[in-house]
Amino acid sequence: MSVTTIPEISNEAAAEQKPLKVGFVSLGCPKNLVDSEVMMGLLHRGGAQMTARAEDADILVVNTCSFIDSAKQESVDTILEMVQHKVANGGRAQKLIVAGCLVERYRDEIQKNIPEVDAVVGTGELEEILAAAGIAQQKSNSPFAILTAEQIERHASSVSQHSRVENDAAQIALETTSRPEGDAREAAGRFSREGWDGAAAALPTYLYTAETPRILTTPRASAYIKIAEGCDHPCSFCIIPQLRGKFRSRPLESIVVEAQALIAQGVREITLIGQDTTCYGEDLAPDASLGRRHELADLLNALAPLPGLKWLRFLYAYPNKITTRLLETIAAHENIAKYLDVPLQHASASVLRRMKRGGTADRFLQIIDKARAVVPGLVLRTSFIVGFPGETEEDFAELCKFVEAAKIDWLGVFSYSDEEGAGAFEYDAKVPKRTIEARRKKLMKLQQKISARAKQEWVGREIDVLVEGESEETELLWQGRSLEMAPEIDGKVLINDFGPHEELVPGTFYRAEITEAHDYDVVARILE
């Protein structure tokens, strides 16, 4: 689970008024991180100052995750840690605000059981962070305001002075319809929050726009763009639709404006995210010039040619949404990662049926073979859930056989988490936790061998590396990523030889040669 703490950010414009200092902790996935960046941008535009030191904060904010039990526990533990800063440790904090998915699930219980929490902000209420913090809403003169923490600290200037884009983002149409699948599933009760104590009756509908301020917390050259929110899929193990609402896309033009602003700020790698990016555009009104709705391939075609954009990728594809046109678009642009992140969840047809996912091992292999044929050098990432209710030894054996046949490049394995509110919570034939953990370890050990063999083939290859900085494991190495490695979730390129350089600059691209390979990481020397 990712934890992001926010660096110190100054605000010279508000210094004379002794601005409130806000300490922010963001938990969970990149989609949640973008929400945190939006809330920080709103607070900063309202005159607040961000601080990385909880003990210095007037206001503490925890943006929570509630996807599985371990995420919920981490969220609760973090809230209680912030309580210590507010009360027990004699901190200066006047308010503690809890935001995000945990609020959607346990809105009333949070404030009832943790009375030190002063306000809660749900996933569809990001703009309410201002009221929760006691800050009046302000308007910016800028159509789109994006700042990196480094830039704010360096220039100490207000949000409204940055990222002026010629496009008048306010004129971008926000017309949407809805996906028929989502409407049908809503009628069938897919988004029901019945039994969720304190949950708001209305589902979240919020989408940030090209006018919304953000403060980037990612490394200097990289940023995420959330292109859609919510999910309409019926997966029986998941409560994200109830937490995030129905699937809804941002207009293509709005995303392009945001990308232009990010590039103007020095971003060279953009990662598009959404619960299912391959559904992008299916809820938008048809584009008059095309005579159809925009789709993900259109968005990629619009973004890839932007001057200054070095790398572009998208995450979280649904298997039956991987079209030939999408694959051909990936292949057509040099700066689009030859990379597919397709959470397959399982390979046994019977388990997939109970998951309400559909598909079979053979069908998935066909999709993978086609993708690799259309996109030479394609890198595949997927994730599986082991221990789903009713999963037999035969089901698990079929999954292992599939993993061996598919030769997946990056693989995540999750132990099934029984989530109240998910369809599978009511299923019988629950698998014992000991069995689940044994299966998870066995599958990861199998993947380790597959990955180790594949990484050996990297030795001798020349690649572009985005250098991130000193290795997280040892001061003796630096680390970076290739285009085939998504931020935070895949392996690393470990650098032990700077080549012609006395030192490397984080956020810079270098040419490198792979000299060694390990199970998941590779070692490289810089060439130029």
Side-chain angles (χ1 to χ4, degrees), residues 158-411:
S158 67
V159 171
S160 63
Q161 294 172 324
H162 287 272
S163 300
R164 297 188 180 276
V165 180
E166 291 182 2
N167 306 60
D168 185 3
Q171 299 302 313
I172 291 174
L174 294 175
E175 295 180 9
T176 62
T177 54
S178 61
R179 299 178 69 240
E181 296 96 325
D183 294 339
R185 285 164 189 155
E186 182 176 28
R190 174 62 177 116
F191 302 95
S192 172
R193 301 180 177 197
E194 188 176 349
W196 285 19
D197 184 30
L203 289 169
T205 59
Y206 180 81
L207 268 176
Y208 78 96
T209 74
E211 291 186 292
T212 310
R214 279 176 66 186
I215 290 177
L216 298 184
T217 60
T218 44
R220 66 173 70 183
S222 303
Y224 295 104
I225 293 181
K226 190 188 292 189
I227 66 172
E229 180 61 277
C231 182
D232 293 340
H233 292 309
C235 309
S236 62
F237 53 81
C238 185
I239 61 172
I240 286 176
Q242 294 102 304
L243 296 173
R244 293 276 176 176
K246 295 173 68 175
F247 182 85
R248 51 204 186 274
S249 306
R250 291 177 58 198
L252 182 147
E253 295 87 351
S254 175
I255 298 167
V256 171
V257 168
E258 180 176 12
Q260 290 171 326
L262 287 165
I263 294 167
Q265 294 294 324
V267 168
R268 296 295 174 261
E269 174 192 35
I270 289 176
T271 301
L272 307 178
I273 54 174
Q275 200 58 41
D276 174 4
T277 53
T278 45
C279 280
Y280 174 77
E282 293 182 4
D283 59 317
L284 295 176
D287 180 89
S289 64
L290 295 176
R292 59 171 174 80
R293 292 179 172 87
H294 283 137
E295 55 189 52
L296 181 58
D298 297 313
L299 179 59
L300 294 174
N301 280 324
L303 293 174
L306 293 180
L309 181 58
K310 178 82 170 176
W311 288 355
L312 175 65
R313 66 168 57 80
F314 63 94
L315 300 181
Y316 320 122
Y318 208 70
N320 65 359
K321 296 286 184 178
I322 300 171
T323 64
T324 300
R325 181 166 184 256
L326 177 59
L327 294 172
E328 290 174 345
T329 302
I330 295 170
H333 297 278
E334 186 177 344
N335 63 344
I336 296 181
K338 309 306 180 266
Y339 182 106
L340 276 180
D341 183 348
V342 191
L344 297 175
Q345 309 302 1
H346 215 279
S348 162
S350 60
V351 174
L352 288 164
R353 191 162 47 247
R354 291 194 298 276
M355 287 180 168
K356 294 190 176 179
R357 294 279 297 185
T360 66
D362 287 343
R363 178 58 185 141
F364 289 162
L365 287 174
Q366 290 171 7
I367 292 172
I368 292 169
D369 288 344
K370 176 182 177 180
R372 286 173 171 159
V374 177
V375 187
L378 181 74
V379 167
L380 178 68
R381 177 177 183 84
T382 192
S383 57
F384 296 116
I385 297 172
V386 294
F388 189 79
E391 182 191 60
T392 65
E393 288 294 341
E394 291 75 18
D395 293 325
F396 180 68
E398 185 174 0
L399 176 58
C400 292
K401 182 180 178 182
F402 173 83
V403 169
E404 289 182 313
K407 294 182 173 58
I408 295 159
D409 298 279
W410 307 112
L411 174 64

Side-chain angles (χ1 to χ4, degrees), residues 2 31 36 51 70 78 95 101 106 157 160 209 227 264 281 299 407 412 450 455 482 508 514-515:
S2 173
K31 297 182 292 294
S36 295
T51 178
S70 59
T78 304
K95 290 185 178 182
C101 291
Y106 302 104
S157 58
S160 63
T209 74
I227 66 172
L299 179 59
K407 294 182 173 58
I450 294 170
K455 293 299 171 289
S482 71
T508 303
I514 306 301
T515 57

Side-chain angles (χ1 to χ4, degrees), residues 20-89:
L20 292 170
K21 288 190 174 183
V22 181
F24 223 105
V25 181
S26 187
L27 304 172
C29 65
K31 297 182 292 294
N32 221 36
L33 180 61
V34 172
D35 288 349
S36 295
E37 293 177 342
V38 165
M39 285 188 281
M40 286 188 292
L42 291 166
L43 288 166
H44 185 270
R45 189 173 72 183
Q49 176 182 330
M50 302 298 120
T51 178
R53 293 169 51 85
E55 58 268 31
D56 293 341
D58 301 301
I59 300 169
L60 294 165
V61 183
V62 181
N63 194 16
T64 60
C65 179
S66 185
F67 181 45
I68 55 177
D69 280 341
S70 59
K72 286 188 284 190
Q73 187 60 56
E74 182 184 33
S75 294
V76 171
D77 290 345
T78 304
I79 294 168
L80 294 176
E81 181 184 348
M82 294 304 105
V83 167
Q84 295 299 308
H85 285 290
K86 180 185 177 187
V87 180
N89 295 342

Side-chain angles (χ1 to χ4, degrees), residues 381 408-411 444-459 473 485 489-494 514 516-523:
R381 177 177 183 84
I408 295 159
D409 298 279
W410 307 112
L411 174 64
M444 285 306 301
K445 189 172 182 180
L446 173 61
Q447 175 61 22
Q448 185 178 19
K449 294 177 181 178
I450 294 170
S451 179
R453 289 196 299 267
K455 293 299 171 289
Q456 286 298 326
E457 297 178 4
W458 286 46
V459 176
E473 299 177 4
M485 299 170 172
I489 57 175
D490 294 332
K492 298 288 186 183
V493 177
L494 302 175
I514 306 301
E516 300 175 37
H518 300 290
D519 292 341
Y520 300 106
D521 301 326
V522 294
V523 180

Side-chain angles (χ1 to χ4, degrees), residues 465-487:
V465 176
L466 174 57
V467 170
E468 296 176 321
E470 193 174 274
S471 170
E472 298 168 353
E473 299 177 4
T474 173
E475 296 179 357
L476 301 178
L477 299 171
W478 273 47
Q479 70 180 36
R481 288 181 292 107
S482 71
L483 185 56
E484 296 87 356
M485 299 170 172

